[in-house]
Amino acid sequence: MSDGGRGTAVDLRLDRAHPARIYDFLLGGRTHFAADREAARRMLAVFPQAAAAARINRAFTHRAARHLARAGMRQFLDIGAGLPTSPNLHETVQAIRPDARVVYADNDPVVLAHAAALLRGRPEGRTAYVQADVTDPAAVLGAPRLRETLDLGRPVALTLIALLHFVPGDGRGGAHAAVEELKAAMPSGSTLTATHATREFAPAAMSAVGEVCRRAGTPFRLRTEAEFRRFFDGWELLEPGVTLTHRWRPDRPGDALRATAAESACYAATARKP
């Protein structure tokens, strides 16, 4: 299923942990199942800061979205959207730009089941949901609901939050190739916002997290700062460039001091297409 076809039977695969539901558990959400909770608890056993890292990542998402909306962005494509946790991306940006248009995409069928919650936006704007995987950019970009909602001839804020470390490989069919295909489809003035887990500040713990994910059937690829920077090749990084999630434009002076690099364990950046 590539476009959230309603009325079609969906295999929810509840016996297998999924990153979106593990993330929901870590954020204190309610939409997770036994396999997800087991994987999350094993993750917390080896990386007790996992819940804090999830919250820090979520806070970065809100800051970056507000910054882009205030800068004039009115179209957002959030791939790897995850389960609805208010405030969602559309709530954040439509509070600033009521006419903003937001498309969510995710490959978790459980997210599809909750899509109605994602679609409650401001009447001046539009929101839509696409059932698709980042590793198939053509399916994402060609989805009818996306085409009905976004004008790909105008700047789009592409958002890939805590997603790319679940995409293995760097060659054809891998994470970098998928991102390059998405970037190529975006017009000048578009932006790319992404976060990515790294082992560079808590190597033993993050390596153990990767092993937990792989044992749960979820691919997990930690990347270095240099490897993360490659996702933005050819685009202009916005200040402060590539940094840790808690250090990217904190709302108040001193906010960045309330977390450590080991707690964040995740790089973040936003860049604009020339």
Side-chain angles (χ1 to χ4, degrees):
M1 184 184 331
S2 63
D3 195 22
R6 295 172 183 172
T8 303
V10 176
D11 178 7
L12 298 181
R13 303 195 298 271
L14 302 183
D15 60 336
R16 181 174 178 178
H18 190 281
R21 301 193 297 268
I22 295 173
Y23 191 56
D24 181 71
F25 177 89
L26 293 173
L27 286 173
R30 299 180 178 179
T31 309
H32 39 73
F33 302 93
D36 310 303
R37 291 190 289 271
E38 181 182 359
R41 287 167 182 150
R42 288 180 178 175
M43 191 178 295
L44 287 164
V46 297
F47 182 43
Q49 301 93 339
R55 291 191 298 270
I56 292 168
N57 187 80
R58 185 76 173 175
F60 160 79
T61 304
H62 295 154
R63 294 197 306 277
R66 288 195 298 268
H67 172 77
L68 293 175
R70 288 167 181 156
M73 296 299 291
R74 286 178 166 83
Q75 298 195 115
F76 291 78
L77 172 56
D78 184 9
I79 304 178
L83 289 149
T85 304
S86 186
N88 290 299
L89 178 66
H90 70 278
E91 294 173 305
T92 300
V93 300
Q94 288 177 355
I96 298 168
R97 301 282 176 188
D99 62 343
R101 297 185 168 215
V102 180
V103 172
Y104 295 102
D106 203 283
N107 70 350
D108 180 9
V110 173
V111 177
L112 169 62
H114 288 264
L118 286 169
L119 304 185
R120 294 173 187 163
R122 291 288 188 95
E124 305 96 317
R126 290 190 63 184
T127 56
Y129 177 75
V130 171
Q131 179 80 12
D133 194 296
V134 68
T135 59
D136 189 355
V140 176
L141 298 170
R145 288 196 180 97
L146 182 146
R147 294 286 178 166
E148 292 165 3
T149 307
L150 302 182
D151 178 359
L152 296 184
R154 299 173 65 85
V156 174
L158 174 62
T159 303
L160 307 172
I161 300 297
L163 171 67
L164 296 170
H165 44 248
F166 296 113
V167 184
D170 293 315
R172 183 176 180 181
H176 285 99
V179 171
E180 286 304 313
E181 188 172 340
L182 290 166
K183 287 164 60 182
M186 300 292 115
S188 175
S190 294
T191 59
L192 168 61
T193 299
T195 66
H196 197 297
T198 182
R199 69 186 302 275
E200 292 182 310
F201 302 96
M206 293 305 294
S207 295
V209 167
E211 186 59 28
V212 168
C213 289
R214 286 186 287 272
R215 288 183 178 179
T218 299
F220 194 77
R221 168 69 186 274
L222 294 163
R223 291 183 173 90
T224 64
E225 179 182 350
E227 290 172 315
F228 179 64
R229 282 181 180 275
R230 279 185 53 204
F231 289 113
F232 302 92
D233 281 355
W235 290 32
E236 300 167 352
L237 285 165
L238 305 186
E239 290 294 333
V242 172
T243 188
L244 289 166
T245 42
H246 65 296
R247 295 176 182 165
W248 196 94
R249 299 187 182 222
D251 289 330
R252 293 171 297 275
D255 279 1
L257 300 177
R258 297 176 186 173
T260 67
E263 285 174 322
S264 175
C266 200
Y267 283 120
T270 297
R272 179 175 288 111
K273 186 171 186 176

